[in-house]
Amino acid sequence: MGEAPARVGVDTGGTFTDFFCRLPDGGTRRWKTLSTPSDPSAAVMEGLAALFPDLDPAGLEVVHGTTVGTNAFLERKGARMVLVTTRGFEDVLWIGRQDRPRLYDLFAARPAEILPRHRVTGVRERMTWRGEVLEPLSGEEVRRAVRFCRARGARSVAVCLLHAYAGAGHEARLGRALEAAGFPVSLSSRVLPEFREYERLSTTVINAYLGPVVGGYIERLRRRLEGARLLVQLSNGGCRPAAGVGAHAVQTLLSGPAGGVQAAWELGRALGFDRVLTLDMGGTSTDVALCDGGPSLTRDYRLEGYPVAVPLMDIHTVGAGGGSLAWVDAGGLLRVGPESAGADPGPVCYGKGTGITVTDANLFLGRLRPEAFLGGRLALAADRVPPRMAELAARVGLSPREAALGVLRLVDTHMVRALRAVSLERGHDPRGGALVCFGGAAGLHAAALAAELEIRTVILPDRAGVFSARGMAVSDLLFDGSTAFFAAGRGASDIDPGPAVRALAARLAGDIRGTGLDPAAARSEFFVDVRYRGQSYEVTVPLEGDWGAAFAERHRFLYGHDMPGAPLEVTAVRARARIPRGGADFREAVLPRPAAPWHGRRAPVEFEGGPRSALLLDRAALRPGERLSGPALVLDDFTTLLLPPGWGARVLDGGHVLMEREGERHDGDGN
């Protein structure tokens, strides 16, 4: 493979693990294989061996998006953990805040706990909000905390002391003692050195809960890929070297979807769109996001009710994928998801499953064709689907055709709600943008979703079935940092965040240097959290130019007004350091390939209005500039695009397909 490394993006999902490789000579390879939930690294190694039969890890750079941390949290399989906090604040995790999702529901069930109360201890110490020692931390208190962790059988320890964001001395002292005793430690002053006690504590606890699991998995994979350069995709859209990633486990919660969102935005921008809705529909779930002028980050993410306050891609996830199971509730109504058939046993048509899934419904209606499924490596057992569909239909009093269409309508409804949640419900009109759909199943549903939301343009990227992995292969190295900084003034000119910026820049440079990279290669951006005096929450704006005016403009956009002349308060300084790795080339030439034997044939496909004869098209045989009209199925090894009646499409440079309702045209670039 030569001296330059081949870059491979690896996206582990609940059903499939996807691979996209960019070779040193500019060529590309892709692969998709069933995931191995019991040991995700097995599927990773299987896919790499398929891409490189004479695998030499020394010639690879692998960027891995992993769901190990998320799955461990959802299944409550994180590390046995102890929390050490300031005495009197042991119950913060359970008290939380009063912004409960169902405030008046007396019977609302709390999510399963990740930390029992008996594994929490408080130590006598106290810092003020200015970072001054109010009550010293004694050596005996430190030793008692270590004994407590040993007695509770801790495999990981979270330390979150009051006001540690302002004065980290007591946390650092506890951390040194606990690490000397052999415990992996998450300190809130490292994980999230910001005020707001509940969010800081929750984020630190989750990091400690997942750290040994994520770190252990990545370390095992590093050993299996000895010699390769391994990086881990982060939830902020970038990646970082895998060494020590367990200390940053909370930053991997949206590891897989983030790569796809970043790539979708870059593709949309290259095609002339300033607003993009992303639809990533895989086998287990669907992830959606809005990019209005760029991907959106949030620090207000909640994982089953637990706040996670580190920067994450603002992604909304629903349990609606190709493997989502159809079922009948106690009232006799048809339901779909969120439970999935996963990779094992998988949909009925995979040969082992017994419950009808969205994939089975698409196959039953002729929308999914066995001709090109998974490159012919997985023969679909189409004959198993009709009897199972008939059983499901009989239970709800429908014909099998009606039941299959009902399954698709229901899963589409779930996805439309998710798309509305990230657009209309936040004041953004989706009609002026494009819907970029990717993942194995998105192309089958994109037209129906776009019609429901009155979106005129749908983009199916080249290699859409492994698009998130493609985004990972070219993602930049990103390092985020923040520090509490409290200052007030009549305006921006009265506030000098310079000392905080310099201290944060030095800390971020140390983080970069600790991964073996050169901080001089990084491009840094700085931001401030600003509010009007008396407000409870802040707005983040870039720390450049007249950032006071930028704050007023952003405040007007978010809340409809600003407050000229009102005093300002700054509560935090943030930084992002980016080391570019070479962006994606979305107009690269697609290598020609002979058309499949079935290219140009027709097959019956069921639509709401009845069966239609649809043209079968081999994606590899389509050339830039070619125009298509529905009904048609554009078949690829790893995804299918359904072009319904009344829709047209054209093939763009790079092999992307831009689909529009006939009679409407996108006025952007798109060439």
Side-chain angles (χ1 to χ4, degrees), residues 397-427:
L398 299 172
S399 69
R401 175 184 178 275
E402 291 170 331
L405 287 170
V407 168
L408 299 190
R409 281 196 296 268
L410 286 170
V411 77
D412 286 349
T413 298
H414 295 325
M415 291 187 285
V416 165
R417 287 175 180 166
L419 289 166
R420 282 180 173 150
V422 299
S423 58
L424 288 168
E425 293 179 13
R426 299 180 183 178

Side-chain angles (χ1 to χ4, degrees), residues 93-128:
L93 190 64
W94 290 268
I95 295 172
R97 298 197 182 277
Q98 290 302 308
D99 56 345
R100 298 191 296 271
R102 294 186 299 277
L103 188 60
Y104 300 106
D105 186 354
L106 299 178
F107 303 99
R110 294 179 63 90
E113 64 182 14
I114 60 175
L115 174 68
R117 178 61 178 79
H118 68 268
R119 291 212 299 267
V120 180
T121 186
V123 294
R124 292 186 181 277
E125 66 82 39
R126 182 65 64 92
M127 289 280 186
T128 71

Side-chain angles (χ1 to χ4, degrees), residues 13-151:
T15 304
F16 288 101
T17 297
D18 300 338
F19 301 80
F20 179 87
C21 175
R22 185 176 296 281
L23 299 170
D25 62 5
T28 62
R29 297 178 186 176
R30 58 179 179 160
W31 195 254
K32 185 184 284 277
T33 190
L34 286 169
S35 295
T36 49
S38 60
D39 179 11
S41 66
V44 174
M45 298 306 298
E46 177 186 332
L48 290 175
L51 284 172
F52 306 102
D54 52 346
L55 179 62
D56 177 13
L60 295 180
E61 179 180 272
V62 179
V63 184
H64 184 26
T66 173
T67 58
V68 166
T70 306
N71 291 341
F73 185 93
L74 297 177
E75 298 169 10
R76 298 301 188 267
K77 294 181 179 178
R80 183 180 178 87
M81 179 188 55
V82 163
L83 169 63
V84 180
T85 187
T86 301
R87 179 163 294 186
F89 290 81
E90 294 92 340
D91 296 301
V92 167
L93 190 64
W94 290 268
I95 295 172
R97 298 197 182 277
Q98 290 302 308
D99 56 345
R100 298 191 296 271
R102 294 186 299 277
L103 188 60
Y104 300 106
D105 186 354
L106 299 178
F107 303 99
R110 294 179 63 90
E113 64 182 14
I114 60 175
L115 174 68
R117 178 61 178 79
H118 68 268
R119 291 212 299 267
V120 180
T121 186
V123 294
R124 292 186 181 277
E125 66 82 39
R126 182 65 64 92
M127 289 280 186
T128 71
W129 68 275
R130 295 182 183 275
E132 301 159 348
V133 176
L134 190 63
E135 181 177 358
L137 175 67
S138 69
E140 176 53 33
E141 284 294 284
V142 173
R143 290 188 289 273
R144 188 181 63 80
V146 173
R147 291 195 300 269
F148 182 91
C149 294
R150 285 175 175 157

